[in-house]
């Protein structure tokens, strides 16, 4: 047996996997992350260290060039794997490992080394020129000095980054002078149904959804965001804890089993002085500013900086985990006193459902006609207390209210350029992770024509 | 107390240090497995070492217009400096080279890592690697001064820069006992110069691996090995500086040296996973405003004791 075969077998035993999630493929990503963690297959941060390029979901035309570039940047031995649905994940991972261990002379191994031209920076586009990134030009910095300016793209793919989101940055040193959102790259191939807001979508379509079910999904969504945030903050152990809790919630774990763990996790993360000290004062977003920008949900409720936001998530997770067994119906517009009646008949009759749908259509029509005038909405949708995400009548998704003119993540993404200007690169990643716009929602809001 | 070892020990030291590093990596792998809910056993620890053949078979990879000489020099410097640093560390009663300025030698080798990481970050000609390289310099500015005062505390207590002299001076009472702050600062700095755990800022996940991000194959293996070699080297140095070297009842001095080094390594690996990554811009403020004055005060304690002796 030759040495190369032995080394390849060792590589196949524990390859590093570059996981690329397409907008709309959150369920596939969750399955893939769980599979990789269970099998001790570490995730790669860059194409340079990856052996397997794992694409979760269908690649849209706008993201195809970025995926191809990352593939070109991967050194051999490498394989490509693809899972369109969560069920395909395990098989795709297994197949990629078998293929890695096969010592066939794969095309592209020989003579590839010199040809692998890659700009290592942002994994973005626009800098992949043959001679490397463009030369820096000069511009005045915040202290009035003339300093080099570097243009970098963050996204569409970075570890623990909302997939598809692309920020074009102008840097001086590692201070961001200017940040712009590239909206064209959120791409998805088909109509996307966001995973994290599924219970509310179903309830809006007239299905019977219990508040406990929605709370479970929302808690899992917050834990997903916290996992990303903690990974960016460089606390891998706590990030893993968040992701394990998330996976257990998604898999339908009993409330009694999850609750003590969630509380312990929230206590440990929320009370960490180090984490607070490292993130305080970053990305200040007051409630008034947030609401003016159309942001609702935890980011607005937090009314402050990065620590305020991750603590708001932690509070929300503990609250939601306490409500896993709540059997109130979502979208229940009756006054609180009447709600008890729901326990008598578990399914609403057809008339109720039709009424619900009519009301919704009515509302949509009105919103289309006179969007600026929000006050024309029925009073039960504009409650004075927007703070409680547990009001079953108001569709409080993980990122905010879902009855606005655009998805809550669009508002979160829209405040990014302003918050990032003047921040350092390290702070910028933490700010983005603390707002965590959901790529599914961003892709879902695009009209079909823009998806290409 | 400490004698020069025979010439062949020059080859033993570079073999022993990787063994210690592998031990630290295995301990780290077990902790990660426990966090992820996988069974933590010998297999789990061993699987982590598959990284070595994986990187050996990986195709070398270059970024466009990278500075090969600078990059290679930088990548090689990190592990080589770690091995050179332990040449002055006594193992039991023997040391490869008991230099009269052993403490300074260790410090000088550690500062070589600054150059190594910065060169490899710059040489790759990629934005995130460059930021990673600069981050290490910023981190160095923060940890280096308190570390130097911690080393000075030990040297002052022993009235010698010879590592053997420092060990001899701890006859009866370890420096860790009456210089606890210097000991704590030294252990923190070990994490910092091996850029692991809370001090992995130069290789942070937020900049896609920073100095490591664009390396593959042997380059990456050398840098990664350098980190763990430095952790092992730091743990090995903590023993003669603060824990009385090979002194102890019962077993042979070399066994005590080994035991103490392993204990320090395990403590370092465990503590590292309990904290989030420390950003240098915040840490530098803490280091200069809090740690440096306290470290100066700590250095004053042995100075006064020695003067009054």
């Amino acid at each position: 047996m030759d040495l190369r075969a032995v080394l390849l077998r060792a590589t196949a035993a524990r390859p590093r996997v570059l996981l690329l999630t397409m907008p709309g493929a959150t369920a596939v990503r969750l399955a893939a992350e769980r599979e990789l963690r269970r099998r001790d297959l570490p995730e790669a941060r860059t194409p340079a260290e990856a052996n397997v390029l794992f694409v979760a979901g269908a690649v849209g035309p706008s993201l195809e060039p970025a995926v191809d570039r990352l593939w070109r940047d991967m050194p051999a031995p490498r394989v490509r794997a693809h899972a369109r649905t969560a069920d395909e994940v395990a098989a795709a991972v297994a197949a990629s490992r078998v293929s890695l261990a096969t010592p066939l002379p794969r095309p592209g191994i020989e003579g590839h080394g010199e040809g692998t031209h890659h700009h290592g920076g942002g994994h973005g586009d626009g800098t992949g020129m043959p001679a490397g990134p463009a030369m820096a030009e000069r511009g005045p910095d915040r202290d009035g000095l003339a300093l080099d300016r570097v243009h970098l793209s963050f996204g569409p793919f970075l570890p623990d980054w909302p997939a598809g989101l692309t920020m074009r940055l102008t840097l001086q040193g590692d201070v961001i002078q200017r940040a712009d959102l590239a909206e064209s790259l959120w791409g998805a191939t088909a109509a996307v149904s966001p995973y994290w807001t599924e219970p509310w979508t179903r309830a809006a379509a007239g299905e019977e959804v219990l508040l406990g079910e929605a709370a479970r999904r929302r808690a899992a969504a917050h834990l997903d965001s916290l996992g990303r945030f903690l990974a960016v903050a460089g606390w891998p152990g706590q990030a893993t804890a968040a992701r394990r809790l998330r996976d257990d919630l998604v898999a339908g774990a009993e409330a009694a089993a999850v609750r003590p763990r969630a509380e312990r996790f929230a206590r440990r993360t929320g009370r960490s002085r180090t984490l607070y000290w490292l993130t305080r004062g970053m990305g200040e977003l007051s409630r008034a500013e947030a609401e003016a920008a159309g942001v609702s949900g935890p980011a607005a409720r937090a009314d402050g900086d990065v620590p305020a936001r991750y603590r708001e998530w932690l509070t929300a997770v503990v609250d939601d985990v306490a409500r896993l067994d709540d059997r109130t119906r979502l979208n229940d517009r009756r006054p609180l006193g009447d709600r008890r009646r729901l326990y008598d008949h578990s399914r609403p009759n057809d008339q109720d459902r039709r009424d619900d749908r009519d009301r919704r259509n009515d509302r949509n029509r009105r919103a289309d006609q006179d969007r600026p005038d929000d006050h024309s909405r029925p009073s039960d949708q504009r409650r004075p207390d927007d703070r409680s995400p547990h009001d079953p009548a108001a569709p409080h998704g993980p990122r905010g209210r879902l009855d606005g003119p655009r998805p809550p993540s669009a508002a979160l993404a829209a405040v990014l350029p302003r918050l990032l200007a003047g921040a350092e690169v390290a702070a910028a990643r933490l700010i983005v992770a603390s707002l965590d716009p959901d790529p599914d929602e961003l892709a879902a809001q695009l009209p079909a024509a823009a998806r290409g | 107390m400490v004698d020069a070892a025979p010439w062949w020990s020059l080859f033993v030291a570079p073999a022993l240090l990787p063994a210690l590093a592998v031990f630290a990596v295995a301990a780290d792998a077990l902790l990660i497995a426990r966090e992820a809910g996988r069974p933590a056993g010998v297999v789990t620890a061993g699987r982590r070492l598959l990284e070595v053949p994986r990187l050996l078979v990986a195709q070398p990879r270059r970024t466009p217009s990278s500075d090969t000489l600078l990059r290679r020099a930088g990548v090689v410097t990190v592990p080589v400096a770690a091995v050179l640093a332990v040449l002055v560390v006594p193992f039991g009663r023997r040391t490869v080279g008991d230099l009269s300025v052993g403490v300074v030698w260790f410090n000088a080798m550690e500062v070589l890592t600054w150059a190594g990481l910065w060169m490899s970050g710059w040489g790759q000609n990629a934005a995130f690697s460059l930021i990673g390289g600069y981050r290490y310099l910023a981190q160095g500015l923060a940890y280096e001064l308190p570390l130097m005062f911690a080393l000075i505390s030990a040297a002052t207590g022993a009235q010698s820069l010879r590592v053997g002299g420092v060990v001899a001076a701890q006859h009866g009472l370890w420096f860790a006992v009456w210089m606890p702050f210097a000991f704590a600062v030294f252990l923190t700095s070990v994490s910092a110069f091996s850029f692991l755990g809370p001090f992995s800022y130069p290789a942070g996940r937020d900049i896609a691996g920073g100095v490591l991000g664009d390396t593959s194959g042997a380059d990456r293996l050398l840098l990664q090995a350098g980190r763990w070699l430095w952790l092992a080297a730091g743990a090995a140095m903590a023993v003669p500086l603060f824990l009385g070297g090979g002194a102890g009842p019962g077993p042979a001095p070399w066994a005590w040296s080994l035991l103490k080094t392993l204990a320090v390594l395990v403590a370092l690996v465990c503590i590292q996973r309990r904290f989030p990554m420390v950003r240098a811009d915040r840490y530098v403020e803490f280091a200069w405003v809090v740690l440096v004055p306290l470290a100066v005060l700590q250095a004053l304690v042995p100075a006064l004791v020695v003067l009054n002796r």
Side-chain angles (χ1 to χ4, degrees):
Chain A
M1 191 184 294
D2 66 322
L3 182 64
R4 191 176 155 76
V6 175
L7 292 178
L8 281 175
R9 282 235 311 274
T11 307
R14 194 170 179 269
R16 278 191 183 256
V17 182
L18 188 67
L19 180 60
L20 302 184
T21 311
M22 297 303 132
T26 301
V28 191
R29 170 171 65 85
L30 296 185
E33 284 183 3
R34 196 170 51 232
E35 177 77 6
L36 296 182
R37 188 179 65 229
R38 225 161 50 82
R39 303 207 173 275
D40 183 23
L41 306 177
E43 271 190 55
R45 282 169 292 196
T46 59
E49 61 170 334
N51 302 107
V52 179
L53 181 81
F54 194 96
V55 178
V59 186
S62 58
L63 289 175
E64 219 169 69
V67 175
D68 286 342
R69 249 195 60 175
L70 290 175
W71 171 247
R72 275 201 309 277
D73 287 347
M74 278 171 59
R78 54 178 188 171
V79 287
R80 231 174 142 144
H82 191 190
R84 279 169 194 282
T85 63
D87 302 331
E88 292 173 19
V89 166
V93 170
S96 65
R97 291 173 72 180
V98 170
S99 156
L100 259 183
T102 316
L104 288 174
R106 268 182 297 275
I109 290 179
E110 256 66 64
H112 201 321
E114 297 301 306
T116 312
H117 284 311
H118 159 67
H119 165 247
H123 304 168
D125 48 321
T127 44
M129 284 162 234
M135 291 299 289
E137 92 265 23
R138 291 196 170 185
D141 84 330
R142 56 181 175 184
D143 302 322
L145 303 165
L147 278 184
D148 285 351
R149 275 194 196 137
V150 180
H151 300 282
L152 259 190
S153 280
F154 267 29
F157 298 111
L158 270 177
D160 304 307
W161 176 264
L165 181 80
T166 309
M167 303 289 304
R168 300 200 193 289
L169 307 178
T170 307
L171 292 174
Q172 283 183 326
D174 73 341
V175 177
I176 296 168
Q177 297 297 325
R178 197 190 146 87
D180 295 296
L181 201 60
E183 310 218 356
S184 58
L185 276 171
W186 292 337
T189 42
V192 167
S193 156
Y195 177 78
W196 295 121
T197 56
E198 197 198 331
W200 292 272
T201 319
R202 272 172 39 220
E207 269 185 67
E208 185 190 353
V209 180
L210 300 180
L211 187 61
E213 202 180 324
R216 181 180 287 274
R217 190 60 67 92
R218 189 166 49 205
H222 287 330
L223 283 165
D224 187 45
S225 300
L226 279 161
R228 233 185 323 271
F229 171 75
L230 289 166
V232 170
W235 203 358
Q238 282 300 91
T240 309
R243 286 169 176 161
R244 282 182 69 193
L245 261 172
R246 169 200 73 188
D247 291 346
D248 289 352
L249 277 175
V250 168
E254 296 267 334
V258 177
R259 213 169 148 180
R261 279 173 58 209
E263 281 166 3
R264 196 163 356 120
F265 166 76
R267 208 164 42 237
R268 194 155 165 215
T269 314
R271 287 192 188 162
S272 165
R273 279 158 193 264
T274 326
L275 190 63
Y276 171 71
W277 167 57
L278 291 168
T279 51
R280 71 171 174 214
M282 288 198 301
E284 286 274 1
L285 183 69
S286 73
R287 193 180 167 89
E289 282 174 302
E291 278 170 357
V295 174
S296 51
R301 285 200 306 274
D303 186 21
D305 51 2
V306 170
R309 286 196 285 274
Y310 73 70
R311 283 175 176 173
E312 180 63 37
W313 275 337
L314 291 169
T315 317
V317 167
V318 172
D319 279 359
D320 273 336
V321 167
R323 281 179 174 77
L324 290 184
D325 294 329
D326 193 326
R327 300 192 56 80
T328 318
R329 235 187 94 209
L330 207 61
N331 261 11
D332 188 357
R333 303 213 183 288
R334 272 161 289 199
L336 274 167
D338 292 356
R339 243 176 242 149
R340 289 277 151 214
R341 288 193 299 129
L342 274 174
Y343 293 106
D344 305 335
H345 48 101
S346 57
R347 286 192 68 80
N349 59 40
D350 284 352
Q351 184 58 44
D352 271 2
R353 223 181 291 176
R354 219 170 298 138
D355 282 354
D356 261 359
R357 207 172 307 150
D358 287 347
R359 224 170 330 181
R360 203 176 54 253
N361 290 344
D362 227 34
R363 191 179 71 225
N364 288 349
R365 222 171 297 135
R366 217 166 328 163
D368 283 327
Q369 280 161 7
D370 46 11
R371 185 160 295 156
D373 188 11
D374 266 358
H375 301 283
S376 67
R377 289 211 234 151
S379 61
D380 66 334
Q381 289 167 38
R382 275 192 72 86
R383 281 157 194 271
D385 183 21
D386 243 5
R387 283 178 173 272
S388 169
H390 304 298
D391 179 356
H396 281 283
R399 264 95 179 166
R401 291 186 64 127
L402 298 166
D403 50 358
R406 49 182 194 161
S409 287
L412 287 175
V415 296
L416 285 177
R418 193 164 52 81
L419 289 183
L420 294 195
E424 306 135 40
V425 171
R429 284 299 312 267
L430 287 165
I431 292 170
V432 174
S434 76
L435 290 166
D436 200 38
D438 181 8
D440 291 12
E441 287 182 13
L442 296 178
Q445 69 157 356
L446 292 177
R451 283 184 208 120
Chain B
M1 209 49 201
V2 172
D3 313 313
W7 61 269
W8 48 261
S9 66
L10 198 59
F11 303 100
V12 175
L16 199 57
L17 193 64
L20 288 172
V22 165
F23 173 81
V25 169
D28 192 51
L30 288 179
L31 285 179
I32 292 176
R34 212 185 58 181
E35 282 164 2
R38 289 189 297 263
V42 184
V43 182
T44 315
R47 268 178 68 78
R48 178 79 173 270
L49 297 175
L50 289 172
E51 196 73 359
V52 177
R54 192 186 78 84
L55 289 175
L56 281 178
V57 79
Q59 166 195 30
R61 174 175 172 288
R62 276 206 351 235
T63 43
S65 43
S66 66
D67 189 329
T68 311
L69 184 65
L70 203 63
R71 185 171 53 89
R72 290 254 160 84
V75 161
V76 170
T77 302
V78 181
V80 168
V83 172
L84 288 178
V86 290
L87 294 184
V88 294
V89 178
F91 190 65
R93 289 222 179 87
R94 310 264 174 187
T95 176
V96 176
D98 195 17
L99 302 183
S100 59
V101 287
V103 175
V104 179
W105 168 264
F106 182 86
N107 199 215
M109 290 304 112
E110 174 260 305
V111 173
L112 265 186
T113 324
W114 293 34
L117 272 194
W118 184 82
M119 287 195 291
S120 96
W122 177 281
Q124 285 169 38
N125 191 29
F128 284 166
S129 308
L130 181 68
I131 295 176
Y134 274 121
R135 279 185 175 191
Y136 192 72
L137 295 191
Q139 185 161 298
L141 278 178
Y143 81 78
E144 190 62 47
L145 266 187
L147 168 65
M148 283 162 97
F149 279 110
L151 293 174
I152 288 168
S153 301
T156 312
Q159 291 177 278
S160 167
L161 284 172
R162 191 187 292 272
V163 182
V166 178
V167 174
Q170 295 177 67
H171 197 68
L173 189 61
W174 292 354
F175 281 175
V177 178
W178 61 289
M179 299 179 205
F181 184 74
F183 184 48
V185 164
F186 182 82
L187 290 186
T188 317
S189 307
V190 172
S191 268
F193 59 63
S194 26
F195 55 113
L196 281 167
F199 295 97
S200 57
Y201 187 58
R205 201 173 162 80
D206 55 337
I207 46 169
V211 277
L212 296 174
D214 266 299
T215 57
S216 75
D219 285 354
R220 191 184 186 83
L221 182 61
L222 284 171
L223 276 180
Q224 284 282 24
R227 296 172 97 174
W228 292 97
L229 287 172
W230 262 117
L231 192 79
M237 187 63 172
V239 174
L241 280 186
F242 294 100
L243 297 175
W254 67 264
W256 274 114
S257 279
L258 187 64
L259 215 63
K260 288 174 184 174
T261 308
L262 293 181
V264 174
L265 259 183
V266 169
L268 280 173
V269 170
C270 289
I271 291 169
Q272 273 176 357
R273 291 202 69 80
R274 299 193 68 88
F275 292 97
M277 185 180 76
V278 177
R279 294 190 301 123
D281 55 332
R282 302 257 158 135
Y283 187 61
V284 79
E285 189 186 326
F286 173 71
W288 284 59
V289 176
V290 181
L291 290 185
V292 170
L294 285 176
V296 172
L297 281 180
Q298 174 72 91
L300 209 61
V301 174
L304 290 176
V305 169
V306 167
L307 274 179
N308 290 326
R309 199 171 269 168

